[in-house]
Amino acid sequence: MTLTIPKVQMHKSGPPCSGLVWGTMRSQSQFSNAHALADHLRWLLDHGITTLDTASVYGHPDPFTVEEFLGEALAQVGADKFEIVTKCGIQRLSKHRPENKVRHFDFSEKEIRKSTDLSLQKLGVDCLDVMLLHRPDYLMDPDETAGTLDDLVAQGKIKHVGVSNLSVSRTELVASRLKAPIVTNQIEFSPLHLNPISDGTFDHAIRTGYKPMIWSPIGGGRLLTSEDEHVVKLRGLLGTIAKTYGLDGPADAAIAFVNKHPVGGIPVVGSGNRDRILGAIKAINTDMDRQDWYSIIAATNPSLFL
Ligand SMILES: NC(=O)c1ccc[n+]([C@@H]2O[C@H](COP(=O)([O-])OP(=O)(O)OC[C@H]3O[C@@H](n4cnc5c(N)ncnc54)[C@H](OP(=O)(O)O)[C@@H]3O)[C@@H](O)[C@H]2O)c1
């Protein structure tokens, strides 16, 4: 089988991105230094993964440090070879944000502008391909938030605007005040987390014409490691299904499951392991049978059949 990663459009207005995205959230645990991360980025390019997902808040053990780590690696490889998706709005306790007294969310003009400028500087780029509002800020003033994002597009600091973890109504609220189209909603979806298929999220994406980005398609590893009785059973089923398609194991069956939904979701994989990423590439080239797909639904949430 020839393994390819298709180039897809998140939305008709763009951006083009790779049909499998690599997420940087765990990168500081996976790579000991920026040089090792740069090697990994070159390997991703060689395999057709050109889109990287990051966020202002990512960093372990120190929040707000991944973008700088990624920027050092990108400087060695060439940031212009990638599409970069980043996010703003999560505030965590960190020595880099001494003003934060509690974890909170902030979609104010001041925070979005500050976060954008810091992302540009840390990543070492002139323009961000996509800026996502990371998690709902319940105190958001939609006119202020949308107006700020449109202005950043007009200034050429960001090319496209999207959201993440936003309900359909909140996404529509932001869209109602934005001039720019919303090009994606980055959400969780996996055999362990089925909400988007039945809560209207995927219907909204199809209706309005964007592809969601799918985070934690294997539940952040929990699908492979949890000893929870229900997960052990699900892992067994996914392992059996994987064999049918010549896939490496349950993780790849989970990615083929995610990939099957007609919404055309773009999986964001978080593994730093090359064999596992190759397995994911095989998975997005696999067309899972309808009845296998439904057997996973039945194992995870039989109430969806009622
Ligand atoms: N928008 C949001 O709110 C949000 C939230 C979470 C994540 N994200 C994005 O989505 C990306 C992916 O999330 P994720 O890392 O949770 O995705 P994931 O692909 O579901 O999980 C990756 C994790 O699973 C482990 N893993 C993979 N295969 C395994 C196997 N066969 N056995 C045991 N462990 C295995 C990986 O470890 P190895 O590295 O050792 O393979 C890694 O720790 C993040 O990097 C971030 O960019 C976004």
Side-chain angles (χ1 to χ4, degrees), residues 51-70:
T51 307
L52 303 174
D53 181 69
T54 190
S56 61
V57 74
Y58 289 166
H60 182 78
D62 292 328
F64 303 104
T65 53
V66 159
E67 283 184 326
E68 199 168 354
F69 185 50
L70 178 61

Side-chain angles (χ1 to χ4, degrees), residues 20-24 49 214 216-217 255 266-271 276-277 280:
L20 195 68
V21 171
W22 188 67
T24 61
I49 298 179
I214 308 297
S216 293
I255 291 170
I266 305 162
V268 186
V269 294
S271 176
R276 289 175 181 168
I277 298 173

